[in-house]
């Protein structure tokens, strides 16, 4: 950069090199002070005495408990499951051509109907986020993964309040022609 | 402190797993607790969610690829667990998310593990009025004093976006606290 030759003033060494850092520190400091005038520095939560000291034991025993549960319950069923799968595979190979000729309900249809029925009547321990991760977007409607249905009116109201530029939406106008 | 890579390696090997898991719990239990507590507000709920978080970490550590820091990965699990916990709670009680927030704030006033005064209670109300993401950014920055880079890894949002969210959150909280 060109030096100002008419200027006889001087600055401490390295003054301009770290000016930006010092300025940002000052701005940040001011921001913190500005906020802390109004916002309390602590939020008032406390914990039972000795909570953290006893936590390790609590978590270890919970893990042991779940591991034991897994060993007792799953292993016998897993063996049965493999056996059943093997029998089902042979059964399918042998009988599929016969079924195809006259049966209206195939083995696979029956299985998915059962699964669908189970999913309908059971309370799934899954969040809508988890379901959305598993099912592809093409296969579902938005309302399938939401706990409360969204009416078109609500969507329009939301867009009206929150979208400043309609171009951002990248609407496919062919739908409206 | 033990290096993160070594810890992850030990967590994945059966013979060193138990010891390494203890180190992991000791290192992160307090930080994760306070993160969760500021989302669910109540101590017992925070305790449940913290246990579930560590169990999920224990079960899924085999699949941890090290693409993000272990610390961010655990924070992400804790955040998801906390938000899912609140979703399930409102579903069980048959109330909306908004109604649940109000109940949580009412309960806070009689909570033996909340020693806040009137202004701290008002702060909680102000925070409850923020969108989830803004509230998260605010607590992570203001109370947990996390760096934007770390928050960015946990919430998978750009640093610029986080700064804007934080600034907005501070403004809204200040305005709320200044109201009569």
């Amino acid at each position: 950069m060109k030096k100002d030759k008419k200027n006889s003033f001087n600055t401490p060494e390295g003054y301009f090199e770290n000016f930006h850092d010092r300025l940002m520190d000052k701005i940040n400091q001011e921001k913190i002070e500005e906020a802390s005038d109004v916002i309390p520095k602590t939020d008032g939560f406390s914990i039972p005495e000795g909570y953290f000291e006893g936590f390790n034991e609590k978590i270890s025993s919970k893990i042991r408990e779940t591991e034991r549960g897994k060993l007792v319950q799953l292993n016998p069923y897993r063996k049965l499951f493999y056996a059943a799968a093997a029998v089902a595979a042979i059964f399918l190979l042998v009988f599929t051509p016969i079924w195809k000729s006259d049966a209206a309900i195939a083995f696979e249809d029956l299985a998915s109907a059962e699964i669908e029925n189970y999913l309908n009547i059971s309370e799934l321990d899954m969040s809508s986020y988890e379901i959305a991760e598993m099912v592809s977007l093409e296969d579902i409607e938005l309302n399938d993964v939401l706990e409360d249905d969204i009416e078109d009116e609500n969507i329009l109201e939301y867009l009206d309040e929150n979208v400043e530029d309609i171009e951002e939406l990248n609407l496919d106008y062919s739908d409206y022609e | 402190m033990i290096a993160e890579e070594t810890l992850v390696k030990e967590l994945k090997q059966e013979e060193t797993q138990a010891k390494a898991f203890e180190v992991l719990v000791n290192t992160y239990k307090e930080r994760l607790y306070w993160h969760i507590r500021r989302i669910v507000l109540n101590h017992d709920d925070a305790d449940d969610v913290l246990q579930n978080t560590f169990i999920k970490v224990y079960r899924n550590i085999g699949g941890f690829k090290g693409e993000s820091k272990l610390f961010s990965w655990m924070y992400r699990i804790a955040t998801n667990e906390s938000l899912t916990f609140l979703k399930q709670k409102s579903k069980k009680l048959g109330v909306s998310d908004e109604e649940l927030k109000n109940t949580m704030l009412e309960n806070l006033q009689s909570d033996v593990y909340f020693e806040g005064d009137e202004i701290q209670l008002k702060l909680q109300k102000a925070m409850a009025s923020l969108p989830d993401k803004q509230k998260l950014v605010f607590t992570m920055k203001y109370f947990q004093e996390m760096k934007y880079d770390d928050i960015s890894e946990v919430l998978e949002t750009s640093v610029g976006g986080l700064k804007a969210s934080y600034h907005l959150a501070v403004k809204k909280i200040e305005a709320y606290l200044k109201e009569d």
Side-chain angles (χ1 to χ4, degrees), chain B residues 115-155:
Chain B
E115 294 164 355
D117 53 19
E118 207 179 311
I119 188 82
Q120 282 160 326
L121 193 63
K122 204 170 175 186
L123 169 67
Q124 288 304 322
K125 287 180 185 165
M127 282 159 59
S129 71
L130 299 176
D132 280 347
K133 189 107 173 231
Q134 258 177 38
K135 186 187 163 184
L136 279 171
V137 177
F138 176 76
T139 56
M140 289 164 100
K141 186 75 200 149
Y142 193 81
F143 289 116
Q144 298 168 64
E145 294 175 344
M146 284 172 71
K147 289 181 194 146
Y148 279 120
D149 285 337
D150 289 336
I151 304 176
S152 161
E153 249 197 52
V154 176
L155 300 180

Side-chain angles (χ1 to χ4, degrees), chain B residues 3-14:
Chain B
E4 193 177 291
E5 272 175 44
T6 320
L7 188 62
V8 173
K9 214 182 269 175
E10 288 177 0
L11 280 165
K12 288 182 178 184
Q13 284 166 357
E14 211 176 319

Side-chain angles (χ1 to χ4, degrees), chain A residues 44-46, chain B residues 37 40-44 104-116:
Chain A
F45 289 120
S46 64
Chain B
R37 178 77 186 269
V40 301
L41 305 188
N42 166 287
H43 166 73
D44 289 334
M104 283 161 66
L105 288 170
E106 275 168 29
N107 292 343
L108 203 56
Q109 297 181 53
S110 55
D111 191 334
V112 286
Y113 298 118
F114 179 71
E115 294 164 355

